[in-house]
Amino acid sequence: MNRGVWAAPGRVNIIGEHTDYNGGYALPIALPQVVTCRARAGSDGLVRVTSRQHPDEQVAQDISTLADAEVAGWARYPLGVVHEYVRRGHRIPGVVLDLDGSVPVGAGLSSSAAVECSVAVALRDLFELPVSDDDLIDIGRAAENDYVGAATGTLDQSASVLCRAGHALFLDFHTGERAQVPFDLAAAGLELLVIDTNTPHQLADGGYARRRQECERAAAALGVASLREIADVADTERIDDPVVRRRARHIVTENARVLDVVARLREGRDPRAIGPVLTAGHASLRDDFEISTPQLDTAVDTALAAGAYGARMVGGGFGGSIIALTDADRTESIAAAVADRFGERGFDAPRTFVAVPSAGARRVPDAD
Ligand code: GLA
């Protein structure tokens, strides 16, 4: 094969935020919105990258010197993936990558993982490289951690590679267990409304990394390798520093919420029952993890007041999106109520769409 088109989705996390780098649990779905990577094998030793979203910027880099490339911005993500393949000893003789995407950027919906995973899966298939799905996830993570410099976990790449249509993906970041959990909201007359508050976040900024360090301090204070080992929230009371104690309390209670939601869905219970668990997750991210914003809180409170069964902020925090679980016939009125409230408060207008659990990274037919 010397050319093709591959797609990888963004994700929205149903529950389990900031648990990935703490060896905990999460339950994402893949979005219908994807990044596509049109890829062609070359032989000139260069990686050439273009993006339909950045038509004026074309990047060409020598593959043998990618480690020193001074490229910043969107192109650093695809270059990071190529670099990581090479660093692992795979031979890439040259490649042309043309990216196009519909995943909102900076919205907490993993547009960067969608870029990484679309490129990673394209390179694997194009050059027939002996790379497993787990390798793809780790290549994306390494590109993000080591090349871009954002100290994230593997939630986003795991979701982008492994999710299946009609299912949520249960992830255990300690044991590596994964399970597809049927997630059919439509059958229950429900929808999952995503409200992008239009306040972009940056994971390479300090807040995310500080939370990660605080979690490490919490684990050290409790004498465990990761907070995953703490099942009883009362144990967190042993942490002296009140900030670090709150961070730990979020992780311990969030892990319990993931298990609670998964158990309810597996039992085939009415998905409305997970609503209050989602809302409790928001309170924990707001009060204990302290990564919410006035826009996120306003969106959650307004969605609940307008009849949502549950609502919470999603993703890394400090901006981005919320999800609201609602009867399908209330979706529009909830979106309108949030837009009105944002107008009253002088916030930028939010953007909304309904999230349907979709497929993970894959080769797609060439439309051109
Ligand atoms: C970002 C990171 C993930 C994860 C989430 C929070 O999306 O990339 O690794 O930590 O935040 O759950």
Side-chain angles (χ1 to χ4, degrees):
M1 185 187 313
N2 69 358
R3 64 178 64 214
V5 183
W6 286 263
R11 62 99 189 91
V12 76
N13 202 9
I14 306 300
I15 191 77
E17 227 60 271
H18 285 262
T19 48
D20 55 353
Y21 56 82
N22 285 296
Y25 310 105
L27 187 73
I29 61 169
L31 294 175
Q33 290 93 332
V34 296
V35 168
T36 57
C37 175
R38 175 180 302 278
R40 180 158 54 82
S43 56
D44 56 3
L46 297 180
V47 47
R48 299 173 193 274
V49 198
T50 52
S51 159
R52 304 271 166 112
Q53 280 67 50
H54 303 272
D56 300 331
E57 300 171 51
Q58 298 177 2
V59 172
Q61 282 288 325
D62 194 324
I63 290 173
S64 63
T65 58
L66 272 178
D68 306 318
E70 283 178 8
V71 176
W74 64 272
R76 200 150 180 91
Y77 294 85
L79 293 185
V81 172
V82 178
H83 173 254
E84 186 59 23
Y85 266 103
V86 173
R87 206 191 59 76
R88 290 167 185 235
H90 299 292
R91 205 178 97 74
I92 311 273
V95 69
V96 181
L97 306 169
D98 182 21
L99 302 172
D100 192 7
S102 58
V103 185
V105 173
L109 303 173
S110 292
S111 59
S112 52
V115 169
E116 292 150 12
C117 294
S118 72
V119 174
V121 72
L123 293 176
R124 169 174 76 176
D125 292 358
L126 202 54
F127 297 106
E128 294 171 10
L129 301 173
V131 159
S132 67
D133 283 352
D134 280 316
D135 294 331
L136 290 180
I137 292 166
D138 203 54
I139 286 168
R141 178 206 58 75
E144 182 123 7
N145 291 173
D146 306 335
Y147 203 74
V148 175
T152 56
T154 52
L155 167 69
D156 308 343
Q157 294 80 5
S158 301
S160 191
V161 170
L162 300 173
C163 278
R164 293 213 196 123
H167 293 79
L169 176 70
F170 173 63
L171 293 163
D172 180 331
F173 294 99
H174 180 63
T175 63
E177 182 197 340
R178 294 87 196 258
Q180 303 287 343
V181 181
F183 193 57
D184 187 356
L185 294 179
L190 293 168
E191 281 181 345
L192 193 68
L193 174 65
V194 177
I195 303 175
D196 171 5
T197 62
N198 206 355
T199 47
H201 72 151
Q202 280 283 343
L203 291 182
D205 284 354
Y208 184 96
R210 262 199 307 284
R211 293 302 178 280
R212 192 168 177 154
Q213 287 156 10
E214 287 160 352
C215 289
E216 282 163 12
R217 281 169 56 200
L222 293 170
V224 292
S226 82
L227 288 176
R228 151 63 173 272
E229 293 174 44
I230 308 296
D232 184 350
V233 71
D235 288 349
T236 60
E237 297 299 325
R238 290 194 277 122
I239 301 172
D240 291 333
D241 182 322
V243 172
V244 174
R245 193 189 311 141
R246 285 202 297 278
R247 306 298 185 251
R249 191 162 60 201
H250 166 70
I251 300 301
V252 174
T253 58
E254 185 80 345
N255 279 330
R257 281 185 287 272
V258 178
L259 296 180
D260 186 0
V261 168
V262 170
R264 286 168 197 257
L265 292 177
R266 280 183 169 152
E267 285 163 12
R269 299 256 291 275
D270 183 344
R272 287 169 182 78
I274 71 173
V277 189
L278 305 189
T279 305
H282 183 75
S284 180
L285 289 165
R286 182 191 60 209
D287 302 336
D288 281 345
F289 223 58
E290 297 179 278
I291 59 170
S292 192
T293 63
Q295 284 85 348
L296 293 166
D297 291 341
T298 299
V300 164
D301 293 345
T302 308
L304 291 170
Y309 293 106
R312 68 175 202 85
M313 56 156 290
V314 294
F318 308 102
S321 302
I322 74 148
I323 51 172
L325 180 68
T326 168
D327 284 325
D329 58 12
R330 275 186 194 240
T331 301
E332 271 179 39
S333 58
I334 290 175
V338 173
D340 286 350
R341 188 78 188 110
F342 269 44
E344 285 162 17
R345 294 209 57 183
F347 298 156
D348 287 346
R351 294 181 271 243
T352 57
F353 65 90
V354 171
V356 182
S358 302
R362 62 207 180 266
R363 188 165 188 209
V364 293
D366 190 347
D368 282 5

